[in-house]
Amino acid sequence: MTTPQLSDLPAETVDVVARWNPDAVARLKSGGPAQRGVLVAGPRRAGKTTLVRRLRALDAPALAFVEDPLDAGVVLMVLDASAPLGREELSVLDVVARPACPVVFALTKTDLHRDWAGVRERNRTLLARHAARFADAEIHPVAAGGSGVEAVLAALQRAARDEARDSRPAAEAVLEQTRRMIAATARSVRETEPGAELRAERVRALTLRDGGRTERVAQLRGQVQLAKVELLHEVASQVRAAGTSARSEIDRAGRGTLADYPGRLAEIVRERSGAVDTAVTGRLDDLRSRVGVAVSDPEAAAPLAEPVVPEGPEPRHRGLEDRMTILIGASAGLGLGRLVVSPLSMVPALDIATIPLTLALGAVAAWWLTRSRAHVAERAHVRQWATEALVHVRSQWEQFVLARLLAAETRVSEAVIAESRVAAREVDERVARIDGELRRLAARRSGQLSSCERDLAAVDRGLQEVRRPAGEPNRRGERLNT
C-alpha cells in the first residue's frame, strides 16, 4: 500500500502549502526526508549553548535545531551536574516532550563536580518515578573538554532515525507543519493590535487640539490683573511725586510765581505723563511676551495724550480772617509805633510829632502784616487747587491705563483664538489622516485573518484527505491509491 502524495490533494491545498511552506514542498518533490528538528531544553546556566555549538562543530547535517516543541522530532534535555534535577527541570520536560517524542539526556559540567556520578544516579531515579518511559533512560556525561559530545550526537542520530521510521506520512507531516505556521501567524495577528502608536498620537493630538487656548487665556487674565495693579501703583507714585514737587515749589513761590503756577503745574504733569506712558508700553510688551503672542499695538506708537489740567484757581475771597488781620495789624502797629516814638515824648518840642509818627508806623505795620497774611493764604489756596488738579490728572491717567489694558487684552485674546483655530484645523486634518490609516490597518488585519482562516480550512481539508482510510472515495469521487 502506498501513502497519499501531496499531488493527490486538492489544488487549493497544494497552493496554500506551496505558499506557506515552500521548503517542505521542495523536499517532498526531491524525494528527501521530512525535516526533523532537535529541541534543546533544560534549566538556565546548564551549558545548553556550549553543547549545541559543539554538536554543530561535529558536522551533523541530518540534525536541525528548532525552537518550537511542535516542530521537534527529538528533545535534548540538558541537566546540570551541580545538583539533581528538581521541579523546574521536570516541568520543562513535561512541556517540551510529547508522549511519542524521544528524549536524549545529557549531564554537563561533569569536570567541575566530583560527585557527578551520584547526581546522575539520582536523576535516573527521579526520572523513573516521574514517567515510566524514562525508567531506562540513559544520561550521557559531558565534560568541558568535549568528551561525551560524540555519544550525545550518536544518541540523537539514533533517536532521529527511530522517530523517522515511526513517523507519519510525509504529506501529513508537511500539512501539519504548515497548519502550525498558519495558526501561529493568525494568533500573532490577533494578539497584535495594529496602530497602537497612531492611536496614542491621536489622543495626544486631540488633547492639544485647542493649542492651549484655555491655559493661555487664563494666563492672559492673570497677567492683565497683575499689570493693572502694577500700573495703577505707578500712576499713584507719579501723582505723589508731582504733588511733592508742587508743594515744595508753592511753599517757596512769591506772588508773581503763584499767579503763573497753573502753567508750571501743567509742565510737571507733562513730564510725569511721559514716565506713565513708558511704564504702560513696557508692561504691555512684557504681557504679550509672557502669553506668547506677537501682535501689533497701534496705540503704542501714539504717546499718551496730555492730561487736561483744570484752569487756574478762582480769586480768593477775602473773609473775616482778613478783616481781623487788619485790626490786629493796626493794633500791633500802633503799639509798636508808641514803643518806637516813646523816647521822643521826653523832648517837649518833639512831643507834637509823636502822634502822626505813631499813626504812620501803625499803618505800615498793619499793611505789612495784612499783606503777609494774604500771601500765606494765597499759597494755601494754590496748594489746595494743585491737590485737586492732581486728583483730576490721576483719574485721567488711570483711565488711560485701563483703556490700554483693555485694548491689549482684546487684541491678545483675538490672536490666541485665531492661533487656536489654526491649531484645531491642523489637528483635525492630522486626526483625519490617522483615522484613515487606522481604518486601512484594520482592514488589512481583517484581510489577513480572513486569509489565514481560508488557508487553514484548505489545509484541514487536505488533512482529511490524507487521513481518510484507503479505498474510501474523496470529495472528487476518487479513491486513494492502494
Side-chain angles (χ1 to χ4, degrees):
M1 181 178 65
T2 59
T3 59
Q5 302 297 320
L6 189 63
S7 58
D8 298 330
L9 301 178
E12 57 178 352
T13 302
V14 176
D15 293 340
V16 171
V17 175
R19 184 166 14 97
W20 283 89
N21 202 352
D23 295 337
V25 174
R27 284 195 302 271
L28 286 178
K29 291 181 178 180
S30 63
Q35 182 179 3
R36 301 298 180 182
V38 177
L39 176 68
V40 182
R44 292 174 294 179
R45 295 184 295 276
K48 298 188 292 294
T49 304
T50 303
L51 181 57
V52 171
R53 185 171 61 251
R54 290 174 180 172
L55 290 172
R56 292 182 185 276
L58 293 178
D59 191 11
L63 296 179
F65 295 94
V66 298
E67 297 182 358
D68 190 351
L70 298 176
D71 296 332
V74 181
V75 174
L76 174 59
M77 187 68 186
V78 181
L79 304 176
D80 197 335
S82 61
L85 57 86
R87 293 182 179 179
E88 179 182 358
E89 291 82 353
L90 294 176
S91 61
V92 171
L93 186 60
D94 292 337
V95 171
V96 300
R98 63 180 186 271
C101 182
V103 181
V104 176
F105 295 93
L107 185 67
T108 60
K109 303 180 182 179
T110 57
D111 57 322
L112 300 178
H113 303 281
R114 296 180 180 179
D115 57 343
W116 63 269
V119 172
R120 181 174 64 171
E121 294 301 324
R122 179 60 178 168
N123 288 341
R124 286 177 179 175
T125 303
L126 294 174
L127 288 173
R129 292 178 182 177
H130 182 67
R133 68 188 183 112
F134 298 138
D136 298 329
E138 182 180 1
I139 302 178
H140 302 277
V142 179
S147 61
V149 179
E150 294 82 357
V152 175
L153 177 60
L156 290 174
Q157 291 174 342
R158 287 195 303 271
R161 287 193 297 270
D162 294 341
E163 198 273 339
R165 283 195 298 270
D166 298 335
S167 62
R168 297 158 295 176
E172 182 179 357
V174 171
L175 287 174
E176 289 194 354
Q177 185 182 26
T178 304
R179 192 183 193 285
R180 288 196 300 270
M181 296 169 64
I182 298 173
T185 301
R187 184 171 57 253
S188 175
V189 171
R190 290 190 184 95
E191 294 176 353
T192 302
E193 190 69 21
E197 296 182 357
L198 290 176
R199 279 189 290 273
E201 182 181 357
R202 185 179 188 275
V203 171
R204 290 194 299 270
L206 290 177
T207 303
L208 302 176
R209 182 178 180 276
D210 62 348
R213 180 180 64 182
T214 304
E215 295 79 2
R216 297 173 72 184
V217 170
Q219 183 182 10
L220 172 62
R221 292 175 179 173
Q223 290 295 326
V224 167
Q225 294 300 321
L226 180 60
K228 178 180 177 181
V229 172
E230 293 179 357
L231 292 177
L232 291 182
H233 179 74
E234 178 66 20
V235 168
S237 176
Q238 295 297 333
V239 170
R240 286 193 300 271
T244 301
S245 300
R247 285 192 298 271
S248 177
E249 293 180 358
I250 290 173
D251 290 341
R252 296 192 303 268
R255 291 181 176 276
T257 304
L258 289 176
D260 299 331
Y261 197 75
R264 171 56 184 163
L265 183 62
E267 183 180 351
I268 294 175
V269 169
R270 282 194 298 270
E271 295 175 356
R272 299 296 174 179
S273 294
V276 172
D277 182 69
T278 302
V280 171
T281 302
R283 189 60 183 86
L284 292 182
D285 292 340
D286 183 65
L287 182 146
R288 298 186 191 93
S289 63
R290 288 178 182 271
V291 178
V293 176
V295 295
S296 59
D297 188 0
E299 296 183 4
L304 171 62
E306 181 179 348
V308 179
V309 180
E311 297 181 356
E314 297 181 357
R316 186 176 64 87
H317 300 285
R318 298 182 181 274
L320 181 61
E321 296 86 354
D322 296 288
R323 298 185 181 91
M324 292 181 63
T325 301
I326 296 174
L327 295 177
I328 294 172
S331 176
L334 290 175
L336 181 61
R338 292 185 63 181
L339 180 63
V340 171
V341 300
S342 59
L344 298 178
S345 61
M346 297 175 149
V347 180
L350 297 177
D351 185 53
I352 192 66
T354 57
I355 296 175
L357 187 57
T358 299
L359 293 176
L361 290 175
V364 171
W367 172 83
W368 179 82
L369 185 59
T370 302
R371 185 178 179 82
S372 298
R373 168 64 182 81
H375 190 192
V376 172
E378 190 66 25
R379 285 179 177 175
H381 182 61
V382 174
R383 189 184 302 112
Q384 180 65 29
W385 169 83
T387 302
E388 296 175 354
L390 289 178
V391 170
H392 185 67
V393 169
R394 177 175 180 173
S395 68
Q396 296 181 62
W397 282 345
E398 291 179 350
Q399 182 182 4
F400 166 77
V401 168
L402 296 178
R404 287 286 298 274
L405 281 175
L406 179 59
E409 182 180 7
T410 302
R411 282 189 292 274
V412 173
S413 298
E414 292 175 353
V416 169
I417 293 174
E419 293 180 0
S420 175
R421 289 173 180 170
V422 173
R425 184 169 59 253
E426 294 176 353
V427 169
D428 291 341
E429 294 175 356
R430 177 56 183 161
V431 169
R433 291 195 296 270
I434 292 176
D435 290 340
E437 185 68 16
L438 289 175
R439 287 192 296 270
R440 188 185 67 80
L441 291 177
R444 179 183 177 184
R445 179 173 180 267
S446 178
Q448 289 177 341
L449 291 176
S450 300
S451 177
C452 289
E453 291 175 357
R454 289 193 300 270
D455 292 346
L456 282 175
V459 172
D460 290 339
R461 287 192 293 270
L463 286 173
Q464 292 177 3
E465 295 288 341
V466 171
R467 293 169 180 170
R468 180 174 290 108
E472 181 178 345
N474 56 17
R475 287 186 165 184
R476 294 176 294 182
E478 302 173 348
R479 296 179 182 272
L480 297 178
N481 296 328
T482 57

